[in-house]
């Protein structure tokens, strides 16, 4: 089981837009496989993610609160320190993630959310007592998550960038 908080920011391709970080949340299930002796493995999750964002284009303020089913697949390396490895193991992880939009596609009469959002994750954390993992991930958006549908905002596109801080309990 995995749950956590997300801090999302939309990065625009035009400097005339103003945005700020917004918090959301995530919850779901995760599994991992690690080769015992070398500490190399992977984790795979299925998460419900709520990403909130607000941005202004001139005088008008828009709210782009979006829900996704996210499936990240990370390669993970756990550092085993002999004296304390049964208590604590630090780890690093990286890998691709795909998010499928489950909320509305239209933000306003000018902006549209894309149905798929691809990202590359970079993460780190610690495993405690071989069951609890606490970590942070940075998701670097690969494709455009939002685009303009009207002629007033022609050429507008935005990518998701987000931090996720989460805890997972492995049975």
């Amino acid at each position: 089981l995995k749950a956590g908080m997300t801090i999302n920011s939309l990065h625009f391709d035009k400097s005339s837009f103003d945005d700020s970080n917004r918090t959301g949340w995530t919850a779901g299930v995760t599994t991992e496989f690690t080769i015992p002796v070398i500490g190399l493995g992977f984790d795979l999750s299925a998460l419900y993610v709520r990403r909130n964002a607000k941005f202004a284009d001139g005088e008008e303020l828009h709210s782009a609160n979006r829900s996704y089913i996210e499936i990240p697949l990370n390669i993970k390396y756990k550092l085993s320190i002999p004296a304390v490895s049964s208590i604590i193991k630090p780890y690093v992880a990286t890998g691709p993630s795909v998010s499928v939009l489950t909320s509305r596609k239209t933000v306003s009469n000018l902006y549209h959310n894309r149905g798929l959002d691809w990202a590359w994750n970079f993460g780190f954390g610690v495993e405690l007592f071989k069951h609890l993992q606490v970590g942070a991930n940075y998701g670097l958006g690969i494709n455009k998550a939002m685009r303009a549908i009207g002629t007033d905002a022609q050429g507008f596109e935005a990518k998701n960038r987000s931090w996720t801080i989460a805890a997972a309990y492995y049975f």
Side-chain angles (χ1 to χ4, degrees):
L1 298 175
K2 189 173 195 174
M5 176 182 78
T6 64
I7 303 167
N8 187 67
S9 178
L10 288 171
H11 286 260
F12 298 99
D13 60 350
K14 291 190 172 199
S15 61
S16 59
F17 289 85
D18 179 33
D19 78 324
S20 58
N21 293 333
R22 300 285 180 208
T23 58
W25 57 274
T26 185
V29 294
T30 186
T31 186
E32 77 170 3
F33 174 77
T34 305
I35 301 168
V37 177
I38 61 173
L40 188 63
F42 68 89
D43 68 27
L44 176 67
S45 302
L47 306 167
Y48 177 85
V49 179
R50 177 70 173 189
R51 292 186 182 128
N52 299 323
K54 289 188 189 252
F55 63 95
D57 59 351
E59 300 297 319
E60 192 173 352
L61 183 65
H62 300 279
S63 180
N65 301 328
R66 295 147 302 140
S67 298
Y68 294 91
I69 298 296
E70 182 177 15
I71 302 170
L73 173 62
N74 293 310
I75 296 170
K76 186 183 277 187
Y77 177 72
K78 293 181 185 177
L79 180 63
S80 183
I81 305 166
V84 294
S85 65
S86 64
I87 298 170
I88 187 169
K89 280 187 189 175
Y91 69 84
V92 292
T94 188
S97 174
V98 63
S99 298
V100 179
L101 185 69
T102 60
S103 60
R104 65 182 184 180
K105 285 199 170 200
T106 304
V107 175
S108 71
N109 60 347
L110 297 176
Y111 307 110
H112 180 79
N113 290 313
R114 299 255 170 121
L116 283 178
D117 186 23
W118 289 90
W120 194 269
N121 293 325
F122 302 93
F124 62 92
V126 294
E127 179 181 271
L128 303 168
F129 304 107
K130 298 184 181 181
H131 292 284
L132 179 65
Q133 288 184 8
V134 179
N137 249 8
Y138 182 73
L140 180 64
I142 295 173
N143 69 318
K144 308 293 185 187
M146 187 182 291
R147 66 177 174 82
I149 55 176
T151 56
D152 293 343
Q154 201 61 20
F156 158 86
E157 293 179 328
K159 292 183 180 182
N160 276 321
R161 302 283 201 284
S162 62
W163 278 99
T164 302
I165 301 166
Y169 185 82
Y170 291 92
F171 295 94

